[in-house]
Amino acid sequence: MNKQNLIDEAKKIREKAYTPYSKFNVGAALLTKDGTLYTGCNIENAAYPVTCCAERVAIFKAISDGHHEFSEIAVVADTERPVPPCGSCRQVMSEFFDPELNIYLTNLNGALKTVKMSELLPFSFSPDDLTKEEN
């Protein structure tokens, strides 16, 4: 699957977003290393903290199906600039994505910014931070 196909899949799933409060639809398309595609859209809730972003929906679907190796992701929204993931999504992405994984941030006007995971969340908290050295 090429970059444009991935972006197109993100645009398609964006239309299924459940956003009765913000009206801010976001779509994400995640490709695993074996070529499996997972998509996600944001799903809001009246209790705002339990809302789930498109990126996390796609990642959690893939993880729940047993996929743990990813090659790239596209995120799209109706914004002026290429849409950046929120902080919570960045942290989840850093848990599962290789630092060199390509992240395509785009909007409905075709503006595109490609970043590596290491650029999106430098100096992130990781599972390595949970291990303590025994004295």
Side-chain angles (χ1 to χ4, degrees):
M1 175 171 288
N2 68 36
K3 174 174 44 177
Q4 189 56 53
N5 293 134
L6 198 63
I7 291 168
D8 291 343
E9 291 296 327
K11 285 180 181 178
K12 275 197 277 188
I13 195 66
R14 179 186 165 276
E15 296 303 319
K16 294 184 179 182
Y18 176 74
T19 59
Y21 311 105
S22 73
K23 311 288 190 243
F24 184 71
N25 292 14
V26 181
L30 173 65
L31 193 62
T32 66
K33 287 204 175 175
D34 73 1
T36 305
L37 175 69
Y38 285 91
T39 59
C41 58
N42 53 324
I43 303 166
E44 294 181 345
N45 191 281
Y48 291 145
V50 297
T51 293
C52 198
C53 300
E55 300 92 313
R56 286 183 283 145
V57 170
I59 293 166
F60 295 162
K61 284 168 63 177
I63 295 294
S64 70
D65 274 355
H67 290 277
H68 295 272
E69 295 185 343
F70 306 101
S71 60
E72 55 192 348
I73 188 170
V75 184
V76 64
D78 189 9
T79 51
E80 289 295 317
R81 64 180 179 158
V83 65
C86 74
S88 295
C89 286
R90 291 175 193 220
Q91 181 59 45
V92 169
M93 293 162 87
S94 75
E95 175 92 8
F96 297 107
F97 293 174
D98 181 285
E100 293 304 304
L101 181 133
N102 281 328
I103 301 167
Y104 308 119
L105 308 175
T106 188
N107 63 15
L108 296 182
N109 298 322
L112 174 66
K113 180 168 182 69
T114 302
V115 296
K116 303 283 186 194
M117 184 63 237
S118 60
E119 297 170 301
L120 192 62
L121 187 61
F123 197 62
S124 64
F125 185 82
S126 75
D128 293 339
D129 295 312
L130 297 175
T131 60
K132 290 193 251 180
E133 198 173 295
E134 303 261 342
N135 292 330

